[in-house]
Amino acid sequence: MARPSPSSWRFLRLAYYIRRPWIVALMLVVLLCTTFIIWDRRVFLQRHEFYLITLQLQRARPKNTKEAFERKPPSVVKDEILDETTAERREKVKQAMLHAWNSYEKYAWGYDELLPLSKRGANDFGGLGATIVDSLDTLYIMGFMDQFNKARDWVAKLDFNRNYEASMFETTIRVVGGLVSAYDLSNDTVFLNKAREIADRLLPAWNTPTGIPYTTVNLASGDSRSPGWTLVRTSVLADLATEQVEFIALSQRTGDPKYQEKVENVIKKIKEFFPQDGLVPIYVNPHTASASNRITFGAMGDSFYEYLLKVWVLGNKTQAVQHYRDMWEQSMEGLMSLIRKSTPSSYTYIAERYGSGGGYIDKMDELACFTPGMLVLGSNDGPDEKKTKYLDLAKELARTCYNFYRSTPTGLAGENYNFISGQDMSVGTAWNILRPETVESLFYLWRKTGDTKYRDWGWDIFQAFEARSRVDTGYVGLRDVRSGEKDDKMQSFFLAETLKYLYLLFSPSSVIPLDQWVFNTEAHPIKIVQRDGGAPGSSEDFVKQQIHRKQRLGRLGGDSNIARQ
């Protein structure tokens, strides 16, 4: 009798495979090989897609043009290996940041700023957690990732719907700038989404007949106005023209042109009445687009000139942003008309002026000590004659600013100084609120020249802060730099700017390289993205977004720690 064929159902019975373990092993090997082939193919396709995106990004840049060949990255000092002294100084600055942050976290978490002597928090910025947002990039750059992640989680829950009259200027440079910078460093979309939320609540400030914004805006209602203390409720020059870096960057990263359009319209309006010497008075009427009163590189004027240059840098110095550089150079010619020398020590300072034909005031704010750094940044391009002129003036002004500190019993600078013939400088307004401007300029001069005296000057200033401003519960300013009397506030910009610039002063030039990043006026580094003249979100901007998106999803396996590249 013929043997009957086995039933095909036997392959579904467990006993069949228990008696034949070699089949199970073979099936597992086949499964693993198949999985590996599929996964390898997927990775190959993703890498190929990334290559295509990168190629498209490169093609978006100008080719074979005079502009492309003449642009050179800022010179940097090759100091990648720190000597022992510099490394120790940098570590001291890191510990100062940790002391400041831990004190804030212990006594004022969630508040805008810490009152160290009172051991409590204060909300001068509507309870937006100004110190938290301002400190995000400093924590990231210094490598304090536990603290950064805790701050990130707090920001994720931050609600901007507040019945608060926000300073459009302060909220932009601290909150919008801080969030965009944290996004650029970490690629975490929480920060970008929050930046867009707060920016949308600021936009009503630009709803004026000229498009020149009011000074304050209610975050809940959108009601906007300029304060009564200004000349007939005019807006302030530094306030209305210090949003361009942040809002243009936001348009580039979201693909939404409305932010860029609002702030660039302001520059167009200023260009309509831009004076021949490039010096704009500090009060600008948002209804008539006319300017009046004092001209200064100090309070209420300073960052307008800074942003003319930095928007040009942010746009990668292309033709689309050339008018910013042209306006800046015009203003620098005007700056030369304000330069004075003291006697007998020949300190170079920037005087102030009343209007187009008014008299001069022999006074200089410590705030104006950002100017040397700005001149250094501007000296990387242009004819050699101008490069030399800008750099030489930067060195002279930095010497003056450093001596603002050295000339007082506490070693800390006053808010402003008067210059009297035969007596050099004397303290005008005597308080010190932990400002960063002089250290900022020393950072730029070190990066440009490699002269170690700028590091030594910065160290002197840091030691004065440690001796006079450090307390057990944080850092405080001084009510009087002559007596050393302390105030009771740790300004958020001490963590955002002063300590960050000190840290970078003692760091290799590869940490936040200046050919890849530009600092906003609150020292938040923003990634340079090329402007090609098209609408935000097109061409290179779009490609950049795709790369960011893929990095955020973890598909490219790249190192997101941009600060340490």
Side-chain angles (χ1 to χ4, degrees):
M1 180 184 293
R3 185 178 177 179
S5 61
S7 170
S8 60
W9 289 99
R10 71 186 186 282
F11 299 112
L12 301 178
R13 296 171 185 164
L14 182 61
Y16 178 83
Y17 295 98
I18 291 176
R19 291 194 298 270
R20 299 170 177 81
W22 63 272
I23 296 180
V24 177
L26 180 61
M27 292 174 66
L28 286 173
V29 170
V30 171
L31 179 62
L32 287 173
C33 290
T34 304
T35 302
F36 177 80
I37 293 170
I38 294 173
W39 177 255
D40 186 67
R41 175 64 176 170
R42 182 184 177 191
V43 171
F44 171 81
L45 290 174
Q46 289 171 350
R47 288 178 176 174
H48 180 65
E49 184 180 6
F50 176 65
Y51 169 78
L52 292 177
I53 291 174
T54 305
L55 186 62
Q56 186 179 351
L57 181 64
Q58 293 172 345
R59 288 175 176 172
R61 295 171 181 158
K63 299 290 185 181
N64 299 322
T65 65
K66 181 180 179 182
E67 176 188 66
F69 286 113
E70 288 185 345
R71 260 198 332 271
K72 298 178 181 178
S75 59
V76 294
V77 183
K78 296 186 180 302
D79 61 341
E80 301 307 316
I81 300 176
L82 297 179
D83 61 84
E84 184 177 351
T85 298
T86 304
E88 288 177 357
R89 290 176 174 181
R90 183 168 75 156
E91 184 59 30
K92 290 287 188 182
V93 175
K94 283 187 66 174
Q95 292 309 309
M97 176 64 187
L98 195 59
H99 174 63
W101 178 261
N102 287 343
S103 299
Y104 168 79
E105 189 174 344
K106 182 176 181 180
Y107 297 109
W109 182 254
Y111 286 87
D112 286 323
E113 291 175 316
L114 166 66
L115 306 181
L117 301 184
S118 302
K119 298 181 182 179
R120 63 182 178 87
N123 282 333
D124 292 334
F125 299 99
L128 301 180
T131 294
I132 295 176
V133 180
D134 241 356
S135 300
L136 285 166
D137 49 14
T138 306
L139 293 170
Y140 191 93
I141 291 167
M142 291 187 181
F144 294 129
M145 298 314 295
D146 289 342
Q147 292 82 353
F148 175 83
N149 289 327
K150 181 176 180 179
R152 181 262 182 211
D153 292 342
W154 187 90
V155 168
K157 301 174 184 177
L158 180 57
D159 183 9
F160 296 119
N161 186 23
R162 298 166 184 263
N163 185 23
Y164 165 64
E165 300 292 326
S167 163
M168 187 261 299
F169 165 75
E170 295 289 358
T171 308
T172 296
I173 66 172
R174 298 184 195 226
V175 182
V176 180
L179 292 170
V180 171
S181 180
Y183 168 71
D184 278 0
L185 288 165
S186 69
N187 289 315
D188 190 330
T189 53
V190 163
F191 300 120
L192 184 61
N193 293 336
K194 286 296 178 181
R196 189 165 192 170
E197 283 182 33
I198 185 63
D200 286 341
R201 291 185 180 274
L202 296 177
L203 286 179
W206 279 266
N207 294 337
T208 68
T210 61
I212 291 173
Y214 292 117
T215 301
T216 63
V217 56
N218 186 289
L219 294 182
S221 67
D223 294 338
S224 306
R225 62 185 178 87
S226 291
W229 58 263
T230 62
L231 189 64
V232 294
R233 290 194 178 276
T234 56
S235 296
V236 173
L237 177 64
D239 289 7
L240 62 93
T242 311
E243 294 77 32
Q244 283 68 26
V245 168
E246 297 84 356
F247 276 65
I248 292 171
L250 190 56
S251 277
Q252 289 174 327
R253 285 143 186 78
T254 63
D256 191 335
K258 66 183 179 183
Y259 309 107
Q260 179 176 314
E261 289 170 353
K262 290 286 187 184
V263 297
E264 293 213 304
N265 179 65
V266 174
I267 300 302
K268 291 176 184 176
K269 287 295 180 183
I270 292 176
K271 194 169 175 59
E272 291 176 5
F273 63 84
F274 200 56
Q276 187 64 34
D277 63 3
L279 300 178
V280 181
I282 58 174
Y283 293 137
V284 181
N285 192 311
H287 296 274
T288 63
S290 59
S292 57
N293 204 267
R294 189 162 45 98
I295 289 168
T296 177
F297 275 73
M300 298 192 285
D302 48 4
S303 46
F304 162 66
Y305 304 101
E306 176 187 0
Y307 270 34
L308 288 180
L309 177 66
K310 287 186 172 179
V311 173
W312 177 71
V313 175
L314 177 69
N316 206 23
K317 308 176 184 179
T318 62
Q319 191 60 40
V321 287
Q322 183 59 39
H323 60 288
Y324 284 96
R325 172 78 190 203
D326 294 340
M327 291 175 71
W328 180 79
E329 290 201 3
Q330 199 171 336
S331 296
M332 292 307 98
E333 291 304 310
L335 170 65
M336 301 302 170
S337 70
L338 302 178
I339 296 299
R340 300 287 185 274
K341 295 273 190 180
S342 75
T343 57
S345 301
S346 194
Y347 290 121
T348 301
Y349 65 95
I350 307 172
E352 297 181 352
R353 193 181 79 199
Y354 279 107
S356 58
Y360 291 86
I361 311 164
D362 292 305
K363 177 182 79 74
M364 180 175 169
D365 291 350
E366 198 280 339
L367 277 167
C369 287
F370 83 95
T371 308
M374 175 186 69
L375 288 166
V376 171
L377 189 61
S379 72
N380 292 312
D381 299 87
D384 289 342
E385 181 182 352
K386 283 191 175 181
K387 290 181 182 179
T388 302
K389 181 169 68 172
Y390 294 152
L391 185 56
D392 288 347
L393 179 57
K395 294 175 181 178
E396 293 177 19
L397 288 171
R399 171 176 172 260
T400 301
C401 293
Y402 172 62
N403 279 280
F404 284 172
Y405 287 80
R406 300 296 288 176
S407 64
T408 69
T410 59
L412 292 177
E415 182 73 357
N416 54 57
Y417 284 76
N418 299 314
F419 290 83
I420 302 172
S421 179
Q423 301 178 37
D424 283 328
M425 63 180 71
S426 62
V427 176
T429 304
W431 69 62
N432 177 288
I433 57 173
L434 309 170
R435 290 200 186 276
E437 285 75 22
T438 298
V439 174
E440 173 186 357
S441 287
L442 297 179
F443 156 71
Y444 279 101
L445 279 161
W446 160 253
R447 285 279 180 100
K448 179 70 175 180
T449 69
D451 191 333
T452 56
K453 75 179 179 184
Y454 298 117
R455 277 180 164 170
D456 291 338
W457 289 1
W459 182 244
D460 289 342
I461 293 171
F462 174 71
Q463 288 183 302
F465 280 128
E466 288 291 287
R468 299 292 183 168
S469 294
R470 181 170 178 142
V471 295
D472 291 340
T473 51
Y475 287 84
V476 296
L478 301 183
R479 298 185 192 279
D480 194 316
V481 296
R482 296 163 297 198
S483 68
E485 179 188 0
K486 292 176 170 55
D487 68 15
D488 189 18
K489 179 175 281 191
M490 186 171 75
Q491 305 279 349
S492 77
F493 56 67
F494 181 65
L495 293 80
E497 301 186 71
T498 310
L499 291 177
K500 182 188 294 150
Y501 279 129
L502 281 165
Y503 178 80
L504 293 173
L505 178 62
F506 302 122
S507 294
S509 298
S510 58
V511 181
I512 312 296
L514 296 179
D515 59 344
Q516 297 177 33
W517 300 84
V518 62
F519 291 94
N520 85 334
T521 198
E522 191 78 1
H524 296 306
I526 309 293
K527 192 74 172 174
I528 293 172
V529 177
Q530 182 155 307
R531 291 276 298 278
D532 59 4
S538 63
S539 74
E540 181 167 349
D541 294 340
F542 173 78
V543 175
K544 186 75 173 179
Q545 289 175 45
Q546 299 307 304
I547 293 176
H548 275 309
R549 178 180 63 83
K550 292 178 183 300
Q551 288 174 331
R552 293 195 300 273
L553 294 174
R555 295 177 179 174
L556 300 179
D559 181 7
S560 64
N561 194 347
I562 301 173
R564 296 175 180 81
Q565 284 182 349

